[in-house]
Amino acid sequence: MTRHTASTITDDALDALYTRLDAYDHHAARECTAPGRSPEPGPGERPTCGICPRVLRADERHRYACRPCERRITEHLAQLPALVQDLHRLLIPGAQTNVRGYRARPGSEAAAPINLHVLDVITSATATLDSWLRDWHERLSWDAPAYHADPLTEAAAALRVNVPWAVEGHPAVNEFAAEINDLHRTATGLLDPAQRARRIGHCPVTVLDEHGGRHTCGATLRYVPGATTVICSWCQTTWDALDLSADLCGAA
């Protein structure tokens, strides 16, 4: 893992980074749209993860997804129930919460007695996890899931336990990962808008596969205001925020 010296990014530098990164996106964006397991590689090519462009290692080639993506899915599933529970405190427009330091956006007088967007996120979280769990049960020829008290928490736990099967046996695991990531990001952003990660471009690092082949990582990079570093979620390269600003703006 590459790591650069940390320092605090200034507001001026951050503003300059945001205004120039659109050009970089058009210049260097690397799209990843493979539905599930990548097509059979051609001569000299190596199979890649269906979620990110990471080249699969020799002991991962029977899988739809690499192990870092599997860990990220598992972590998000573990965190989702508590995040969604905290969202209940934001159902009343203008409400604030101090749970684990999260802070809601100060609200103005609302037309509705309940925050419909927050309610939609809460209900869609349960519906999404329940839908995927039912799909997995059908594929495994299991009985339909039965919940005892809290469908969201129980579905998240059941999915988390079976993620190792999904990354090896479910051809749509990339869609599942994308939906879980969206739920996690939306809930986190609602609970603390000030800490909502901002998209700042794509990872420019050249990575090597196990046979020496080179390709650009291309992962979407996100910066959390106030952070001193930016970490690529795919190749795990860590930058000082100012260094990354200079690198990306120079590529624009």
Side-chain angles (χ1 to χ4, degrees):
M1 180 178 73
T2 304
R3 185 174 180 86
H4 300 275
T5 304
S7 64
T8 302
I9 190 168
T10 65
D11 291 340
D12 289 343
L14 183 58
D15 288 342
L17 173 62
Y18 289 150
T19 57
R20 297 181 61 186
L21 278 173
D22 282 343
Y24 171 78
D25 285 345
H26 290 295
H27 173 73
R30 183 175 186 269
E31 296 183 349
C32 178
T33 57
R37 182 176 289 145
S38 302
E40 289 298 319
E45 297 180 349
R46 312 306 304 174
T48 58
C49 173
I51 298 173
C52 77
R54 181 181 286 107
V55 175
L56 296 176
R57 297 180 180 275
D59 62 349
E60 294 178 327
R61 291 175 191 164
H62 62 292
R63 300 159 57 100
Y64 287 104
C66 63
R67 288 188 175 85
C69 284
E70 177 184 353
R71 287 194 296 271
R72 184 163 56 251
I73 296 170
T74 302
E75 290 170 359
H76 285 174
L77 285 169
Q79 296 164 4
L80 263 176
L83 291 173
V84 174
Q85 181 61 41
D86 287 350
L87 286 178
H88 284 79
R89 297 174 177 267
L90 306 184
L91 284 173
I92 305 302
Q96 301 206 12
T97 178
N98 294 319
V99 177
R100 291 198 300 275
Y102 289 125
R103 175 168 46 81
R105 184 191 301 273
S108 57
E109 185 175 351
I114 192 169
N115 190 320
L116 298 179
H117 177 54
V118 173
L119 179 62
D120 181 64
V121 174
I122 292 172
T123 56
S124 65
T126 301
T128 298
L129 268 60
D130 174 68
S131 176
W132 278 108
L133 185 58
R134 291 180 184 278
D135 173 75
W136 291 13
H137 275 233
E138 290 178 7
R139 286 181 173 273
L140 292 165
S141 299
W142 293 351
D143 292 337
Y147 305 115
H148 301 289
D150 182 353
L152 175 65
T153 299
E154 293 171 33
L159 289 167
R160 190 170 70 249
V161 168
N162 289 289
V163 165
W165 163 79
V167 297
E168 294 186 3
H170 201 305
V173 69
N174 63 320
E175 298 176 18
F176 170 70
E179 292 185 21
I180 298 304
N181 183 65
D182 286 346
L183 284 172
H184 187 275
R185 183 181 302 158
T186 300
T188 302
L190 285 169
L191 289 165
D192 193 353
Q195 292 301 309
R196 183 179 294 135
R198 298 181 63 173
R199 181 176 177 274
I200 60 171
H202 296 85
C203 179
V205 168
T206 298
V207 295
L208 302 177
D209 63 30
E210 60 193 57
H211 295 283
R214 295 173 177 267
H215 65 273
T216 301
C217 174
T220 298
L221 297 175
R222 299 182 186 277
Y223 174 76
V224 177
T228 59
T229 59
V230 174
I231 302 176
C232 175
S233 62
W234 288 353
C235 70
Q236 300 302 306
T237 300
T238 300
W239 289 273
D240 170 85
L242 288 174
D243 289 346
L244 180 61
S245 172
D247 288 348
L248 295 185
C249 288

